Amino acid sequence: MTQEPILAIDSLSISFDTRRAEIPAVMDFSVSVQPGEAMGLVGESGCGKSTVALGIMRDLGRNGRIAGGTIRFKGRDMAEMSEAELRRIRGNEIAMIYQEPMASLNPAMKVGRQLMEVPMIHEGVTAEEARARALKMLDDVKLPDPARILDSYPHQLSGGQQQRIVIAMALMSKPALLILDEPTTALDVTVEAAIVELIRDLGRKYGTAMLFISHNLGLVLETCDRICVMYSGEAVETGTVAEVFDTMRHPYTQALFRAIPLPGADKTARPLQAIPGNFPLPHQRPPGCNFGPRCSYFEAGRCDAQAIPMQDVRPGHATRCLRAEEIDWTAEPEAEAETEARTPGKVVLSVEKLKKYYEAGANALFGGETQVVKANEALTFEARESETLAIVGESGCGKSTLAKMLMGLETATEGRILLDGREIQDLPVADRDGGLLGDLQMVFQNPFDTLNPSIPVGRQIIRALELFGYGASDAERRERMLTLLDLVKLPRDFAERMPRQLSGGQKQRVGIARAFAGGARIVVADEPVSALDVSVQAAVTDLLMEIQKREKTTLIFISHDLSLVRYLADRVLVMYLGHVVELGTVEEVFAPPYHPYTEALLSAVPIADTSVEKERIVLEGELPSATNPPPGCPFQTRCRWKAQVAGDRCATELPEMRRFGAHQIRCHLAPEVLTDMPPVLRHAAD
Amino acid sequence: MEPLSWGAIAARILLQFLPVWIALAATFGLSWVYRAKLGLYGKLFDNRIGLIGLFLTLFWVYTALAAGLFDWIATHDPLTAVSGMKNKVPGTPLRGAEDGDFPYYLLGGDGLARDVFSRMVAGSWIVVQIAPLATLFAFMAGITLGLPAGYFGGRLDSVLTFAANLILAFPVILLFYLLVTPEIVASGLPAYLSAGLFLLPLVFLGLLINARARTNPRRRWMLLAVMLLPLGWAYLSLISAQGSALDLLPAALDLFDVPGGILVVFVSVIFVNAPTVFRLTRGLTLDLKTRDYVAAAQTRGEGPWYIMLWEILPNARGPLIVDFCLRIGYTTILLGTLGFFGLGLPPDSPDWGTTINAGRKLLSIFPHPAIAPAVALLSLVLGLNLLADGLREESLKD
Ligand SMILES: Nc1ncnc2c1ncn2[C@@H]1O[C@H](COP(=O)(O)OP(=O)(O)O)[C@@H](O)[C@H]1O
Ligand code: SF4
Ligand code: SF4
Ligand SMILES: [Mg+2]
């Protein structure tokens, strides 16, 4: 590649001045992006990815400044450009797409106007011309019915559609470089898959160079040509995606891959390996190698002696590790003591034809038209002692409603929930006794929300113990609280801390301790790790499984991350629009026969493994609304197998559960068709 | 004796405030040293606006304390007239001063020959006593109603919001006049109204304790008894007055009587402020009740009042504290407005509103009796506003 790069960043340093100290957010960062190339930037949150992007845009806010290095755009040093020139480049030649689509859209302006403004302002074309271009662009980003969408306001569109509009808007000015900062993190997997596919196709079609920022290695594999791994403000490894994924030469990259569940990962044979320790804050970086304190190859006296420079392993593949040549990169991680598999015991929880309809839309004072939201339709399943049952599905499919009914936060419209044979579906949480409350507990998704910010950590656990009627005296409860902190591997003096003094992973541990406080029989974990960084996810997941095993708890694990589900669950329940569409063991659900929706879900999950080949199935259309679900099969509006069912049965008749032993699939397709489906994931070697 | 020059007046006034300067220096010095441990208050020391606000506010608070508790700062009695000092300009020597008398009227004399400076200082004590307390009552009323409206929603919310809007739409001045109209006073309406409004803080406190100590019945009853019995007694003393519509307690048990004027002030302040506090609290509750820690509290079986008072309210404190500062300012102005209409406090009260009102008549000839309290009021309200701004800015920072 002798072409001149679109973007060349050389030893860039960026600092933020705060009142307390100067924070070096990015140090000695170099990267280049060739025309038409997609460059991936990965790393944990806070490592400086967004700061690099904002530095390129020269949009660092009042307290940020470029402390050193150069950024060249098309060969010209951006530091030497005038304000006017920078403004022209920012709107026109470099476009940026953020995680939150609404950050880039004006809520008070129709989508059409916002799109048309771009060429009208930058190129001075007429309104008709601009409208024609906008229509064409909407077609390019695969939005159905572009004319109607041009006439809508942003809030009338779904999150996925909004993000498509933002991409269309960015491409309207035909930029030479597109910067995408976690563009799909706020979206569902299936929507994410569609957007990623779109980004990749458009990149090819328009030849736009891209800088793709993400914390998800799988996504980078699917979209990018080259990758740059960042750690604590520095680039630690750069190279082509294939090279970095298959022959990584930095211990941090290796640790990242060992911390995420890959399709082959088995919870008993190869447990996830968390990266020990914590991410250093920018002003507390260790001397020498930033990764030193957490690196298993650390060598005192060498790694902490001086700053480590970036070195080439091969042309085009560089790493910031002194020992890259010495480490045996093929060595398997030391397998931890083989943990024996759990054997599920007797049935603890059974749910029969459970149904929940919400009434919405009526005005409390004056009445009015009520609408019925059909959140759950006739759910039937069982969960056994020491079993992990995963519930997967897109947001809005009714997972959380189910969790709320189990917890008693909502009562059922119809059907039964039996806990040890006792009916609890009509027992709101206010009427439950301490024992029952302690038996059924929940771990929440958002670590920043799960603890009350105004109450010390220990006090919050003690309060739960009080309500579960645990212990006779305050001293006894306090003792139990301390052992609970031990259980979740937090130091005992955390009891006195306020939640804001804890990191996300630590807060989630407290949340787990609180859930297990009353010796819970059933714990519902609603996306407990999805908001955590990969390196922390592994540790929290393993902790959850360990406690579950010890306490013989039934874990109901709600998640959209199918890789994780495959890693930790025993059985999987797939939901779509309030229905159970598939139920079976992990092995059954992750191999044919599939329900057509499960097949699409599996295909949507980004997998960070170059040896896995995926069948691409992109779901067209939007998730139907739960107030107005389609007749017949709930999935019929998006199903690619529909044509294989004779007659119009998919559109008229709700399919019965088809049984393959204990494995159940709600679909009209003939059993042979289902069993003959090709597998979605294949190892290249097979 | 010669009248003082302006420079000399300024110097003497500064000297007169010496105890306040010392207190301020001590406060700021200590707070600066320990600012890292003082949370939001400590962070104010990084914020120039907030610091100016704090300075102005504390200045008046310390002035009030020094004047009200120790009788410092004021040079003369605020209620006594000295013959020959009527409408005298600032710096006029005291006619017939004896040994031990302060020899000047630093800011001149008012229309009744009283010392303007001393009245301003004495007025601060009244303002500082009434404004925060009245505002606090307004907050308790607004919060006690706003929390359930936001938390339960539904019909309760609709009704309360409707009522709040109704009160907000009602002309305030008309309300004040109604409250002091003799027929209405005779009907006992203001007394019943205050009986109701003053009950809210007790309800608030009772709920707070009850929700927290529910798991331990013995402790619950003890705490409730310890807190509520004395407060209940105080409450009954407060609302019952011999010969009024609410003559509940025998005279022997009636601890104190609050002058009718002050009661009117309290009721007015609550009426004017509570609906807005209600709306603020309701909005915050609507937002905070969707947090996971609220769901966690529900799943461990907490009652609604525990969740509202211990899970939601503490986390709504930032915006509420800021609003509280602003509202003390409004209340101070409202006291002035009430005094201006001859409502509320007795006519010779040295509070700033009443004084400004009294000085208004001769404003074009002798402006100084009105200007001094006006500047005082202005600086306190400005201080509270700046303090609120600083707090808001700092609380948004993390
Ligand atoms: N405006 C700012 N002021 C001070 N520090 C900042 C600011 N913006 C970012 N930082 C710090 O810079 C570091 C990198 O942040 P960021 O670029 O957002 O990381 P990422 O995008 O990888 O999550 C973090 O430690 C963050 O706290
Ligand atoms: S330089 Fe040393 S501490 Fe840093 S990554 Fe390499 S081996 Fe680990
Ligand atoms: S029933 Fe029909 S529409 Fe539904 S999943 Fe099966 S094939 Fe698709
Ligand atoms: Mg970021």
Side-chain angles (χ1 to χ4, degrees), chain B residues 190-207:
Chain B
Y192 292 124
L193 215 67
S194 57
L197 289 174
F198 287 125
L199 192 59
L200 283 175
L202 257 76
V203 173
F204 181 84
L205 210 73
L207 288 168

mmCIF file with all atom_site columns, all heavy atoms in Angstrom, chain B residues 190-207:
data_model
loop_
_atom_site.group_PDB
_atom_site.id
_atom_site.type_symbol
_atom_site.label_atom_id
_atom_site.label_alt_id
_atom_site.label_comp_id
_atom_site.label_asym_id
_atom_site.label_entity_id
_atom_site.label_seq_id
_atom_site.pdbx_PDB_ins_code
_atom_site.Cartn_x
_atom_site.Cartn_y
_atom_site.Cartn_z
_atom_site.occupancy
_atom_site.B_iso_or_equiv
_atom_site.pdbx_formal_charge
_atom_site.auth_seq_id
_atom_site.auth_comp_id
_atom_site.auth_asym_id
_atom_site.auth_atom_id
_atom_site.pdbx_PDB_model_num
ATOM 1   N N   . PRO B 1 190 ? -58.825 30.393 58.259 1.00 0.00 ? 190 PRO B N   1
ATOM 2   C CA  . PRO B 1 190 ? -57.353 30.396 58.302 1.00 0.00 ? 190 PRO B CA  1
ATOM 3   C C   . PRO B 1 190 ? -56.821 29.447 59.368 1.00 0.00 ? 190 PRO B C   1
ATOM 4   O O   . PRO B 1 190 ? -55.819 28.765 59.162 1.00 0.00 ? 190 PRO B O   1
ATOM 5   C CB  . PRO B 1 190 ? -56.993 31.842 58.633 1.00 0.00 ? 190 PRO B CB  1
ATOM 6   C CG  . PRO B 1 190 ? -58.183 32.634 58.266 1.00 0.00 ? 190 PRO B CG  1
ATOM 7   C CD  . PRO B 1 190 ? -59.364 31.738 58.469 1.00 0.00 ? 190 PRO B CD  1
ATOM 8   N N   . ALA B 1 191 ? -57.517 29.382 60.489 1.00 0.00 ? 191 ALA B N   1
ATOM 9   C CA  . ALA B 1 191 ? -57.057 28.501 61.564 1.00 0.00 ? 191 ALA B CA  1
ATOM 10  C C   . ALA B 1 191 ? -57.121 27.045 61.114 1.00 0.00 ? 191 ALA B C   1
ATOM 11  O O   . ALA B 1 191 ? -56.180 26.276 61.318 1.00 0.00 ? 191 ALA B O   1
ATOM 12  C CB  . ALA B 1 191 ? -57.901 28.714 62.817 1.00 0.00 ? 191 ALA B CB  1
ATOM 13  N N   . TYR B 1 192 ? -58.255 26.664 60.480 1.00 0.00 ? 192 TYR B N   1
ATOM 14  C CA  . TYR B 1 192 ? -58.359 25.283 60.017 1.00 0.00 ? 192 TYR B CA  1
ATOM 15  C C   . TYR B 1 192 ? -57.303 24.993 58.948 1.00 0.00 ? 192 TYR B C   1
ATOM 16  O O   . TYR B 1 192 ? -56.700 23.923 58.907 1.00 0.00 ? 192 TYR B O   1
ATOM 17  C CB  . TYR B 1 192 ? -59.759 25.020 59.441 1.00 0.00 ? 192 TYR B CB  1
ATOM 18  C CG  . TYR B 1 192 ? -60.830 25.052 60.493 1.00 0.00 ? 192 TYR B CG  1
ATOM 19  C CD1 . TYR B 1 192 ? -61.919 25.900 60.376 1.00 0.00 ? 192 TYR B CD1 1
ATOM 20  C CD2 . TYR B 1 192 ? -60.740 24.232 61.624 1.00 0.00 ? 192 TYR B CD2 1
ATOM 21  C CE1 . TYR B 1 192 ? -62.896 25.954 61.354 1.00 0.00 ? 192 TYR B CE1 1
ATOM 22  C CE2 . TYR B 1 192 ? -61.703 24.276 62.600 1.00 0.00 ? 192 TYR B CE2 1
ATOM 23  C CZ  . TYR B 1 192 ? -62.790 25.138 62.471 1.00 0.00 ? 192 TYR B CZ  1
ATOM 24  O OH  . TYR B 1 192 ? -63.745 25.186 63.445 1.00 0.00 ? 192 TYR B OH  1
ATOM 25  N N   . LEU B 1 193 ? -57.118 25.982 58.081 1.00 0.00 ? 193 LEU B N   1
ATOM 26  C CA  . LEU B 1 193 ? -56.151 25.812 57.006 1.00 0.00 ? 193 LEU B CA  1
ATOM 27  C C   . LEU B 1 193 ? -54.756 25.562 57.579 1.00 0.00 ? 193 LEU B C   1
ATOM 28  O O   . LEU B 1 193 ? -54.039 24.648 57.160 1.00 0.00 ? 193 LEU B O   1
ATOM 29  C CB  . LEU B 1 193 ? -56.146 27.090 56.159 1.00 0.00 ? 193 LEU B CB  1
ATOM 30  C CG  . LEU B 1 193 ? -55.912 26.896 54.679 1.00 0.00 ? 193 LEU B CG  1
ATOM 31  C CD1 . LEU B 1 193 ? -57.075 26.171 54.071 1.00 0.00 ? 193 LEU B CD1 1
ATOM 32  C CD2 . LEU B 1 193 ? -55.722 28.233 54.014 1.00 0.00 ? 193 LEU B CD2 1
ATOM 33  N N   . SER B 1 194 ? -54.393 26.415 58.559 1.00 0.00 ? 194 SER B N   1
ATOM 34  C CA  . SER B 1 194 ? -53.054 26.233 59.124 1.00 0.00 ? 194 SER B CA  1
ATOM 35  C C   . SER B 1 194 ? -52.993 24.931 59.900 1.00 0.00 ? 194 SER B C   1
ATOM 36  O O   . SER B 1 194 ? -51.977 24.241 59.892 1.00 0.00 ? 194 SER B O   1
ATOM 37  C CB  . SER B 1 194 ? -52.667 27.428 59.993 1.00 0.00 ? 194 SER B CB  1
ATOM 38  O OG  . SER B 1 194 ? -53.614 27.614 61.008 1.00 0.00 ? 194 SER B OG  1
ATOM 39  N N   . ALA B 1 195 ? -54.092 24.549 60.555 1.00 0.00 ? 195 ALA B N   1
ATOM 40  C CA  . ALA B 1 195 ? -54.101 23.261 61.258 1.00 0.00 ? 195 ALA B CA  1
ATOM 41  C C   . ALA B 1 195 ? -53.776 22.144 60.283 1.00 0.00 ? 195 ALA B C   1
ATOM 42  O O   . ALA B 1 195 ? -52.978 21.254 60.569 1.00 0.00 ? 195 ALA B O   1
ATOM 43  C CB  . ALA B 1 195 ? -55.458 23.038 61.907 1.00 0.00 ? 195 ALA B CB  1
ATOM 44  N N   . GLY B 1 196 ? -54.396 22.222 59.092 1.00 0.00 ? 196 GLY B N   1
ATOM 45  C CA  . GLY B 1 196 ? -54.139 21.194 58.090 1.00 0.00 ? 196 GLY B CA  1
ATOM 46  C C   . GLY B 1 196 ? -52.724 21.257 57.577 1.00 0.00 ? 196 GLY B C   1
ATOM 47  O O   . GLY B 1 196 ? -52.017 20.248 57.516 1.00 0.00 ? 196 GLY B O   1
ATOM 48  N N   . LEU B 1 197 ? -52.264 22.437 57.221 1.00 0.00 ? 197 LEU B N   1
ATOM 49  C CA  . LEU B 1 197 ? -50.947 22.565 56.595 1.00 0.00 ? 197 LEU B CA  1
ATOM 50  C C   . LEU B 1 197 ? -49.825 22.203 57.565 1.00 0.00 ? 197 LEU B C   1
ATOM 51  O O   . LEU B 1 197 ? -48.844 21.571 57.188 1.00 0.00 ? 197 LEU B O   1
ATOM 52  C CB  . LEU B 1 197 ? -50.747 23.982 56.070 1.00 0.00 ? 197 LEU B CB  1
ATOM 53  C CG  . LEU B 1 197 ? -51.602 24.324 54.842 1.00 0.00 ? 197 LEU B CG  1
ATOM 54  C CD1 . LEU B 1 197 ? -51.454 25.784 54.483 1.00 0.00 ? 197 LEU B CD1 1
ATOM 55  C CD2 . LEU B 1 197 ? -51.214 23.455 53.665 1.00 0.00 ? 197 LEU B CD2 1
ATOM 56  N N   . PHE B 1 198 ? -49.997 22.605 58.827 1.00 0.00 ? 198 PHE B N   1
ATOM 57  C CA  . PHE B 1 198 ? -48.927 22.305 59.787 1.00 0.00 ? 198 PHE B CA  1
ATOM 58  C C   . PHE B 1 198 ? -48.904 20.838 60.184 1.00 0.00 ? 198 PHE B C   1
ATOM 59  O O   . PHE B 1 198 ? -47.940 20.355 60.768 1.00 0.00 ? 198 PHE B O   1
ATOM 60  C CB  . PHE B 1 198 ? -49.061 23.192 61.026 1.00 0.00 ? 198 PHE B CB  1
ATOM 61  C CG  . PHE B 1 198 ? -48.676 24.617 60.766 1.00 0.00 ? 198 PHE B CG  1
ATOM 62  C CD1 . PHE B 1 198 ? -49.538 25.664 61.046 1.00 0.00 ? 198 PHE B CD1 1
ATOM 63  C CD2 . PHE B 1 198 ? -47.436 24.906 60.207 1.00 0.00 ? 198 PHE B CD2 1
ATOM 64  C CE1 . PHE B 1 198 ? -49.178 26.961 60.778 1.00 0.00 ? 198 PHE B CE1 1
ATOM 65  C CE2 . PHE B 1 198 ? -47.081 26.219 59.937 1.00 0.00 ? 198 PHE B CE2 1
ATOM 66  C CZ  . PHE B 1 198 ? -47.957 27.247 60.218 1.00 0.00 ? 198 PHE B CZ  1
ATOM 67  N N   . LEU B 1 199 ? -49.994 20.142 59.874 1.00 0.00 ? 199 LEU B N   1
ATOM 68  C CA  . LEU B 1 199 ? -50.017 18.719 60.192 1.00 0.00 ? 199 LEU B CA  1
ATOM 69  C C   . LEU B 1 199 ? -49.119 17.935 59.230 1.00 0.00 ? 199 LEU B C   1
ATOM 70  O O   . LEU B 1 199 ? -48.540 16.912 59.597 1.00 0.00 ? 199 LEU B O   1
ATOM 71  C CB  . LEU B 1 199 ? -51.457 18.206 60.088 1.00 0.00 ? 199 LEU B CB  1
ATOM 72  C CG  . LEU B 1 199 ? -51.716 16.804 60.658 1.00 0.00 ? 199 LEU B CG  1
ATOM 73  C CD1 . LEU B 1 199 ? -51.360 16.776 62.129 1.00 0.00 ? 199 LEU B CD1 1
ATOM 74  C CD2 . LEU B 1 199 ? -53.183 16.420 60.467 1.00 0.00 ? 199 LEU B CD2 1
ATOM 75  N N   . LEU B 1 200 ? -48.968 18.462 57.993 1.00 0.00 ? 200 LEU B N   1
ATOM 76  C CA  . LEU B 1 200 ? -48.220 17.723 56.981 1.00 0.00 ? 200 LEU B CA  1
ATOM 77  C C   . LEU B 1 200 ? -46.798 17.361 57.417 1.00 0.00 ? 200 LEU B C   1
ATOM 78  O O   . LEU B 1 200 ? -46.370 16.230 57.225 1.00 0.00 ? 200 LEU B O   1
ATOM 79  C CB  . LEU B 1 200 ? -48.206 18.506 55.667 1.00 0.00 ? 200 LEU B CB  1
ATOM 80  C CG  . LEU B 1 200 ? -49.522 18.431 54.885 1.00 0.00 ? 200 LEU B CG  1
ATOM 81  C CD1 . LEU B 1 200 ? -49.470 19.313 53.663 1.00 0.00 ? 200 LEU B CD1 1
ATOM 82  C CD2 . LEU B 1 200 ? -49.813 16.997 54.477 1.00 0.00 ? 200 LEU B CD2 1
ATOM 83  N N   . PRO B 1 201 ? -46.054 18.302 58.027 1.00 0.00 ? 201 PRO B N   1
ATOM 84  C CA  . PRO B 1 201 ? -44.699 17.919 58.459 1.00 0.00 ? 201 PRO B CA  1
ATOM 85  C C   . PRO B 1 201 ? -44.705 16.764 59.456 1.00 0.00 ? 201 PRO B C   1
ATOM 86  O O   . PRO B 1 201 ? -43.832 15.897 59.411 1.00 0.00 ? 201 PRO B O   1
ATOM 87  C CB  . PRO B 1 201 ? -44.159 19.185 59.116 1.00 0.00 ? 201 PRO B CB  1
ATOM 88  C CG  . PRO B 1 201 ? -44.942 20.283 58.528 1.00 0.00 ? 201 PRO B CG  1
ATOM 89  C CD  . PRO B 1 201 ? -46.286 19.735 58.212 1.00 0.00 ? 201 PRO B CD  1
ATOM 90  N N   . LEU B 1 202 ? -45.727 16.745 60.319 1.00 0.00 ? 202 LEU B N   1
ATOM 91  C CA  . LEU B 1 202 ? -45.808 15.648 61.290 1.00 0.00 ? 202 LEU B CA  1
ATOM 92  C C   . LEU B 1 202 ? -46.070 14.331 60.581 1.00 0.00 ? 202 LEU B C   1
ATOM 93  O O   . LEU B 1 202 ? -45.455 13.304 60.878 1.00 0.00 ? 202 LEU B O   1
ATOM 94  C CB  . LEU B 1 202 ? -46.942 15.930 62.295 1.00 0.00 ? 202 LEU B CB  1
ATOM 95  C CG  . LEU B 1 202 ? -46.461 16.430 63.650 1.00 0.00 ? 202 LEU B CG  1
ATOM 96  C CD1 . LEU B 1 202 ? -46.051 17.873 63.525 1.00 0.00 ? 202 LEU B CD1 1
ATOM 97  C CD2 . LEU B 1 202 ? -47.554 16.274 64.677 1.00 0.00 ? 202 LEU B CD2 1
ATOM 98  N N   . VAL B 1 203 ? -46.982 14.377 59.622 1.00 0.00 ? 203 VAL B N   1
ATOM 99  C CA  . VAL B 1 203 ? -47.291 13.189 58.833 1.00 0.00 ? 203 VAL B CA  1
ATOM 100 C C   . VAL B 1 203 ? -46.015 12.710 58.144 1.00 0.00 ? 203 VAL B C   1
ATOM 101 O O   . VAL B 1 203 ? -45.662 11.536 58.155 1.00 0.00 ? 203 VAL B O   1
ATOM 102 C CB  . VAL B 1 203 ? -48.367 13.528 57.776 1.00 0.00 ? 203 VAL B CB  1
ATOM 103 C CG1 . VAL B 1 203 ? -48.570 12.359 56.833 1.00 0.00 ? 203 VAL B CG1 1
ATOM 104 C CG2 . VAL B 1 203 ? -49.667 13.904 58.459 1.00 0.00 ? 203 VAL B CG2 1
ATOM 105 N N   . PHE B 1 204 ? -45.317 13.677 57.577 1.00 0.00 ? 204 PHE B N   1
ATOM 106 C CA  . PHE B 1 204 ? -44.079 13.411 56.850 1.00 0.00 ? 204 PHE B CA  1
ATOM 107 C C   . PHE B 1 204 ? -43.087 12.667 57.751 1.00 0.00 ? 204 PHE B C   1
ATOM 108 O O   . PHE B 1 204 ? -42.563 11.612 57.410 1.00 0.00 ? 204 PHE B O   1
ATOM 109 C CB  . PHE B 1 204 ? -43.514 14.757 56.403 1.00 0.00 ? 204 PHE B CB  1
ATOM 110 C CG  . PHE B 1 204 ? -42.255 14.684 55.611 1.00 0.00 ? 204 PHE B CG  1
ATOM 111 C CD1 . PHE B 1 204 ? -42.308 14.463 54.249 1.00 0.00 ? 204 PHE B CD1 1
ATOM 112 C CD2 . PHE B 1 204 ? -41.027 14.860 56.216 1.00 0.00 ? 204 PHE B CD2 1
ATOM 113 C CE1 . PHE B 1 204 ? -41.150 14.401 53.510 1.00 0.00 ? 204 PHE B CE1 1
ATOM 114 C CE2 . PHE B 1 204 ? -39.863 14.800 55.483 1.00 0.00 ? 204 PHE B CE2 1
ATOM 115 C CZ  . PHE B 1 204 ? -39.928 14.575 54.121 1.00 0.00 ? 204 PHE B CZ  1
ATOM 116 N N   . LEU B 1 205 ? -42.869 13.221 58.930 1.00 0.00 ? 205 LEU B N   1
ATOM 117 C CA  . LEU B 1 205 ? -41.903 12.626 59.846 1.00 0.00 ? 205 LEU B CA  1
ATOM 118 C C   . LEU B 1 205 ? -42.352 11.245 60.308 1.00 0.00 ? 205 LEU B C   1
ATOM 119 O O   . LEU B 1 205 ? -41.564 10.306 60.384 1.00 0.00 ? 205 LEU B O   1
ATOM 120 C CB  . LEU B 1 205 ? -41.747 13.552 61.054 1.00 0.00 ? 205 LEU B CB  1
ATOM 121 C CG  . LEU B 1 205 ? -40.381 13.498 61.687 1.00 0.00 ? 205 LEU B CG  1
ATOM 122 C CD1 . LEU B 1 205 ? -39.393 14.200 60.780 1.00 0.00 ? 205 LEU B CD1 1
ATOM 123 C CD2 . LEU B 1 205 ? -40.406 14.129 63.050 1.00 0.00 ? 205 LEU B CD2 1
ATOM 124 N N   . GLY B 1 206 ? -43.648 11.137 60.606 1.00 0.00 ? 206 GLY B N   1
ATOM 125 C CA  . GLY B 1 206 ? -44.183 9.867  61.052 1.00 0.00 ? 206 GLY B CA  1
ATOM 126 C C   . GLY B 1 206 ? -43.967 8.783  60.009 1.00 0.00 ? 206 GLY B C   1
ATOM 127 O O   . GLY B 1 206 ? -43.493 7.682  60.306 1.00 0.00 ? 206 GLY B O   1
ATOM 128 N N   . LEU B 1 207 ? -44.264 9.112  58.759 1.00 0.00 ? 207 LEU B N   1
ATOM 129 C CA  . LEU B 1 207 ? -44.098 8.141  57.675 1.00 0.00 ? 207 LEU B CA  1
ATOM 130 C C   . LEU B 1 207 ? -42.642 7.743  57.537 1.00 0.00 ? 207 LEU B C   1
ATOM 131 O O   . LEU B 1 207 ? -42.298 6.583  57.333 1.00 0.00 ? 207 LEU B O   1
ATOM 132 C CB  . LEU B 1 207 ? -44.593 8.745  56.364 1.00 0.00 ? 207 LEU B CB  1
ATOM 133 C CG  . LEU B 1 207 ? -46.107 8.900  56.228 1.00 0.00 ? 207 LEU B CG  1
ATOM 134 C CD1 . LEU B 1 207 ? -46.446 9.760  55.034 1.00 0.00 ? 207 LEU B CD1 1
ATOM 135 C CD2 . LEU B 1 207 ? -46.748 7.529  56.083 1.00 0.00 ? 207 LEU B CD2 1
#
